[in-house]
PDB file of all heavy atoms in Angstrom:
ATOM      1  N   TRP N  46      -8.992 296.659  49.581  1.00 90.00           N
ATOM      2  CA  TRP N  46      -8.112 295.569  49.969  1.00 90.00           C
ATOM      3  C   TRP N  46      -7.954 294.577  48.877  1.00 90.00           C
ATOM      4  O   TRP N  46      -6.915 294.150  48.526  1.00 90.00           O
ATOM      5  CB  TRP N  46      -8.520 294.874  51.284  1.00 90.00           C
ATOM      6  CG  TRP N  46      -7.558 293.758  51.675  1.00 90.00           C
ATOM      7  CD1 TRP N  46      -7.721 292.485  51.658  1.00 90.00           C
ATOM      8  CD2 TRP N  46      -6.303 293.967  52.225  1.00 90.00           C
ATOM      9  NE1 TRP N  46      -6.719 291.840  52.208  1.00 90.00           N
ATOM     10  CE2 TRP N  46      -5.693 292.795  52.487  1.00 90.00           C
ATOM     11  CE3 TRP N  46      -5.497 295.061  52.423  1.00 90.00           C
ATOM     12  CZ2 TRP N  46      -4.423 292.574  52.918  1.00 90.00           C
ATOM     13  CZ3 TRP N  46      -4.216 294.897  52.901  1.00 90.00           C
ATOM     14  CH2 TRP N  46      -3.745 293.664  53.109  1.00 90.00           C
ATOM     15  N   GLY N  47      -9.057 294.267  48.276  1.00 92.00           N
ATOM     16  CA  GLY N  47      -9.199 293.409  46.998  1.00 92.00           C
ATOM     17  C   GLY N  47      -8.451 293.880  45.876  1.00 92.00           C
ATOM     18  O   GLY N  47      -7.695 293.049  45.254  1.00 92.00           O
ATOM     19  N   LYS N  48      -8.389 295.149  45.606  1.00 94.00           N
ATOM     20  CA  LYS N  48      -7.655 295.783  44.556  1.00 94.00           C
ATOM     21  C   LYS N  48      -6.097 295.604  44.903  1.00 94.00           C
ATOM     22  O   LYS N  48      -5.417 295.292  44.029  1.00 94.00           O
ATOM     23  CB  LYS N  48      -7.972 297.158  44.431  1.00 94.00           C
ATOM     24  CG  LYS N  48      -9.261 297.453  43.798  1.00 94.00           C
ATOM     25  CD  LYS N  48      -9.619 299.037  43.735  1.00 94.00           C
ATOM     26  CE  LYS N  48     -11.038 299.212  43.222  1.00 94.00           C
ATOM     27  NZ  LYS N  48     -11.214 300.610  43.173  1.00 94.00           N
ATOM     28  N   ARG N  49      -5.740 295.833  46.114  1.00 94.00           N
ATOM     29  CA  ARG N  49      -4.378 295.767  46.566  1.00 94.00           C
ATOM     30  C   ARG N  49      -3.847 294.401  46.311  1.00 94.00           C
ATOM     31  O   ARG N  49      -2.775 294.108  45.838  1.00 94.00           O
ATOM     32  CB  ARG N  49      -4.145 296.242  47.964  1.00 94.00           C
ATOM     33  CG  ARG N  49      -2.728 296.435  48.420  1.00 94.00           C
ATOM     34  CD  ARG N  49      -2.656 296.854  49.804  1.00 94.00           C
ATOM     35  NE  ARG N  49      -3.453 298.171  49.891  1.00 94.00           N
ATOM     36  CZ  ARG N  49      -3.729 298.700  50.967  1.00 94.00           C
ATOM     37  NH1 ARG N  49      -3.536 298.012  52.109  1.00 94.00           N
ATOM     38  NH2 ARG N  49      -4.368 299.931  50.993  1.00 94.00           N
ATOM     39  N   VAL N  50      -4.594 293.393  46.802  1.00 94.00           N
ATOM     40  CA  VAL N  50      -4.114 291.973  46.805  1.00 94.00           C
ATOM     41  C   VAL N  50      -4.051 291.635  45.315  1.00 94.00           C
ATOM     42  O   VAL N  50      -3.051 290.970  44.824  1.00 94.00           O
ATOM     43  CB  VAL N  50      -5.059 291.082  47.644  1.00 94.00           C
ATOM     44  CG1 VAL N  50      -4.808 289.659  47.331  1.00 94.00           C
ATOM     45  CG2 VAL N  50      -4.915 291.386  49.022  1.00 94.00           C
ATOM     46  N   TRP N  51      -5.023 291.835  44.427  1.00 95.00           N
ATOM     47  CA  TRP N  51      -5.107 291.575  43.098  1.00 95.00           C
ATOM     48  C   TRP N  51      -3.872 292.013  42.361  1.00 95.00           C
ATOM     49  O   TRP N  51      -3.246 291.368  41.647  1.00 95.00           O
ATOM     50  CB  TRP N  51      -6.432 291.996  42.418  1.00 95.00           C
ATOM     51  CG  TRP N  51      -6.618 291.582  40.999  1.00 95.00           C
ATOM     52  CD1 TRP N  51      -6.386 292.299  39.949  1.00 95.00           C
ATOM     53  CD2 TRP N  51      -6.920 290.323  40.654  1.00 95.00           C
ATOM     54  NE1 TRP N  51      -6.583 291.506  38.836  1.00 95.00           N
ATOM     55  CE2 TRP N  51      -7.000 290.397  39.184  1.00 95.00           C
ATOM     56  CE3 TRP N  51      -7.283 289.010  41.147  1.00 95.00           C
ATOM     57  CZ2 TRP N  51      -7.335 289.207  38.461  1.00 95.00           C
ATOM     58  CZ3 TRP N  51      -7.560 287.927  40.509  1.00 95.00           C
ATOM     59  CH2 TRP N  51      -7.550 288.059  39.016  1.00 95.00           C
ATOM     60  N   ALA N  52      -3.478 293.265  42.650  1.00 95.00           N
ATOM     61  CA  ALA N  52      -2.379 293.994  41.833  1.00 95.00           C
ATOM     62  C   ALA N  52      -1.127 293.289  42.226  1.00 95.00           C
ATOM     63  O   ALA N  52      -0.304 293.063  41.390  1.00 95.00           O
ATOM     64  CB  ALA N  52      -2.430 295.461  42.162  1.00 95.00           C
ATOM     65  N   LYS N  53      -1.016 292.865  43.522  1.00 94.00           N
ATOM     66  CA  LYS N  53       0.190 292.269  44.087  1.00 94.00           C
ATOM     67  C   LYS N  53       0.427 290.914  43.260  1.00 94.00           C
ATOM     68  O   LYS N  53       1.528 290.690  42.761  1.00 94.00           O
ATOM     69  CB  LYS N  53       0.106 292.086  45.623  1.00 94.00           C
ATOM     70  CG  LYS N  53       1.203 291.294  46.133  1.00 94.00           C
ATOM     71  CD  LYS N  53       1.008 291.027  47.524  1.00 94.00           C
ATOM     72  CE  LYS N  53       1.731 289.926  48.096  1.00 94.00           C
ATOM     73  NZ  LYS N  53       1.392 289.555  49.543  1.00 94.00           N
ATOM     74  N   HIS N  54      -0.623 290.120  43.222  1.00 95.00           N
ATOM     75  CA  HIS N  54      -0.455 288.779  42.697  1.00 95.00           C
ATOM     76  C   HIS N  54      -0.456 288.863  41.161  1.00 95.00           C
ATOM     77  O   HIS N  54       0.284 287.979  40.542  1.00 95.00           O
ATOM     78  CB  HIS N  54      -1.628 287.885  43.154  1.00 95.00           C
ATOM     79  CG  HIS N  54      -1.517 287.491  44.645  1.00 95.00           C
ATOM     80  ND1 HIS N  54      -0.522 286.631  45.034  1.00 95.00           N
ATOM     81  CD2 HIS N  54      -2.045 287.997  45.723  1.00 95.00           C
ATOM     82  CE1 HIS N  54      -0.625 286.491  46.242  1.00 95.00           C
ATOM     83  NE2 HIS N  54      -1.448 287.348  46.797  1.00 95.00           N
ATOM     84  N   CYS N  55      -1.074 289.803  40.605  1.00 95.00           N
ATOM     85  CA  CYS N  55      -0.881 289.984  39.103  1.00 95.00           C
ATOM     86  C   CYS N  55       0.610 290.373  38.759  1.00 95.00           C
ATOM     87  O   CYS N  55       1.162 289.854  37.763  1.00 95.00           O
ATOM     88  CB  CYS N  55      -1.811 291.064  38.569  1.00 95.00           C
ATOM     89  SG  CYS N  55      -3.521 290.568  38.528  1.00 95.00           S
ATOM     90  N   LYS N  56       1.143 291.200  39.486  1.00 94.00           N
ATOM     91  CA  LYS N  56       2.655 291.539  39.253  1.00 94.00           C
ATOM     92  C   LYS N  56       3.562 290.312  39.344  1.00 94.00           C
ATOM     93  O   LYS N  56       4.409 290.200  38.551  1.00 94.00           O
ATOM     94  CB  LYS N  56       3.100 292.637  40.405  1.00 94.00           C
ATOM     95  CG  LYS N  56       2.699 293.985  40.056  1.00 94.00           C
ATOM     96  CD  LYS N  56       3.383 295.002  41.100  1.00 94.00           C
ATOM     97  CE  LYS N  56       2.699 296.260  41.050  1.00 94.00           C
ATOM     98  NZ  LYS N  56       3.166 297.150  42.050  1.00 94.00           N
ATOM     99  N   VAL N  57       3.270 289.590  40.346  1.00 94.00           N
ATOM    100  CA  VAL N  57       4.119 288.413  40.553  1.00 94.00           C
ATOM    101  C   VAL N  57       3.946 287.423  39.335  1.00 94.00           C
ATOM    102  O   VAL N  57       4.821 286.858  38.789  1.00 94.00           O
ATOM    103  CB  VAL N  57       3.839 287.676  41.869  1.00 94.00           C
ATOM    104  CG1 VAL N  57       4.457 286.349  42.075  1.00 94.00           C
ATOM    105  CG2 VAL N  57       4.221 288.551  43.059  1.00 94.00           C
ATOM    106  N   TYR N  58       2.712 287.257  38.920  1.00 95.00           N
ATOM    107  CA  TYR N  58       2.405 286.300  37.898  1.00 95.00           C
ATOM    108  C   TYR N  58       2.978 286.832  36.620  1.00 95.00           C
ATOM    109  O   TYR N  58       3.433 285.990  35.817  1.00 95.00           O
ATOM    110  CB  TYR N  58       0.813 286.092  37.801  1.00 95.00           C
ATOM    111  CG  TYR N  58       0.466 285.327  36.581  1.00 95.00           C
ATOM    112  CD1 TYR N  58       0.501 283.934  36.614  1.00 95.00           C
ATOM    113  CD2 TYR N  58       0.092 285.903  35.461  1.00 95.00           C
ATOM    114  CE1 TYR N  58       0.274 283.049  35.642  1.00 95.00           C
ATOM    115  CE2 TYR N  58      -0.227 285.067  34.339  1.00 95.00           C
ATOM    116  CZ  TYR N  58      -0.276 283.803  34.437  1.00 95.00           C
ATOM    117  OH  TYR N  58      -0.476 282.895  33.354  1.00 95.00           O
TER     118      TYR N  58
END
Side-chain angles (χ1 to χ4, degrees):
W46 184 249
K48 289 179 185 179
R49 186 177 306 164
V50 171
W51 184 255
K53 172 186 163 184
H54 287 283
C55 287
K56 280 184 194 176
V57 170
Y58 176 80

